[in-house]
Amino acid sequence: MINYLLGLDSSILLWIQEFVRNAFLTPVFVIITRLGNSGAIWLLISAIMLLFKKSRKAGIMSLAALLGSFLIDNVLLKNLVARTRPYEVITGLQLLIEKQSDFSFPSGHTGSSFAAAVILYRELPKKWGIPALVLAALIGFSRLYLGVHYPTDVICGALIGSLIAVTVRRIFYYMRENGALKGMTRYLE
């Protein structure tokens, strides 16, 4: 089963390279992937949300989810699994950006993107939440397009990030219902 998944991962990346990559899309996906570097776009959005009372709660949850994603994806799982990047293993796969300095599994860009985007989708009006999910998906796909992640890295990053977001929301609302955020209520409502 694992060999089948590894073969499928490789085949998908080579298919993207052969049939999707082109001179117009490459600079677009380079820009999209850079938005996800170190969770930059999500940190900026979260910080801006802290400035407004209506979105402050979502900003706090988003920052907590980003921290959780960083710790689980980048600190724990990447070093535990230690999966080699696809451009180092798949013959013929061309890397379109600089070599990455960490391991491949899971995709930290995708994990942080979905951790923040799921919070935004659940906490903000859909006119903000849906574009956040679309951006998260584009950042995840950019990692495949550029050849720095396997499809399973991106899928697992999206699942882990989403699970972190759901967990952060549940903890937040549990703490609020049980009075743990009593002194902060006027700032969060």
Side-chain angles (χ1 to χ4, degrees):
M1 181 67 162
I2 290 182
N3 287 334
Y4 173 77
L5 285 176
L6 292 174
L8 186 59
D9 263 352
S10 298
S11 296
I12 291 170
L13 289 176
L14 291 172
W15 184 87
I16 290 169
Q17 178 173 281
E18 181 71 25
F19 297 106
V20 180
R21 285 183 180 177
N22 64 62
F24 174 76
L25 288 177
T26 297
V28 172
F29 279 114
V30 168
I31 291 167
I32 290 170
T33 216
R34 299 242 188 273
L35 292 174
N37 286 357
S38 302
I41 189 68
W42 305 109
L43 289 168
L44 177 63
I45 290 169
S46 300
I48 291 170
M49 288 191 305
L50 294 176
L51 300 175
F52 305 98
K53 195 168 186 179
K54 284 186 173 183
S55 61
R56 192 169 293 141
K57 177 175 60 168
I60 291 169
M61 282 191 264
S62 180
L63 288 171
L66 287 166
L67 177 61
S69 176
F70 171 73
L71 293 173
I72 291 169
D73 293 334
N74 295 73
V75 175
L76 179 67
L77 290 176
K78 278 188 184 283
N79 294 305
L80 188 64
V81 175
R83 187 178 196 186
T84 305
R85 294 280 179 167
Y87 55 81
E88 296 176 354
V89 176
I90 301 172
T91 304
L93 182 65
Q94 297 172 358
L95 178 64
L96 296 181
I97 58 172
E98 68 281 349
K99 290 186 175 188
Q100 306 295 286
S101 61
D102 58 356
F103 293 112
S104 192
F105 181 89
S107 168
H109 280 69
T110 309
S112 64
S113 294
F114 276 87
V118 168
I119 293 288
L120 302 185
Y121 179 78
R122 295 297 309 248
E123 294 296 322
L124 298 178
K126 299 306 177 231
K127 69 179 180 180
W128 302 109
I130 291 172
L133 288 176
V134 169
L135 179 58
L138 286 171
I139 289 172
F141 182 76
S142 76
R143 307 306 282 166
L144 303 176
Y145 183 95
L146 299 170
V148 294
H149 277 293
Y150 295 95
T152 49
D153 298 343
V154 170
I155 291 167
C156 289
L159 291 173
I160 293 165
S162 298
L163 182 61
I164 290 167
V166 168
T167 303
V168 164
R169 277 188 85 239
R170 287 188 181 188
I171 290 170
F172 180 87
Y173 284 110
Y174 176 83
M175 289 174 64
R176 191 174 79 171
E177 289 170 16
N178 290 291
L181 302 176
K182 205 176 265 183
M184 297 177 65
T185 305
R186 69 180 188 183
Y187 299 107
L188 299 176
E189 297 301 325

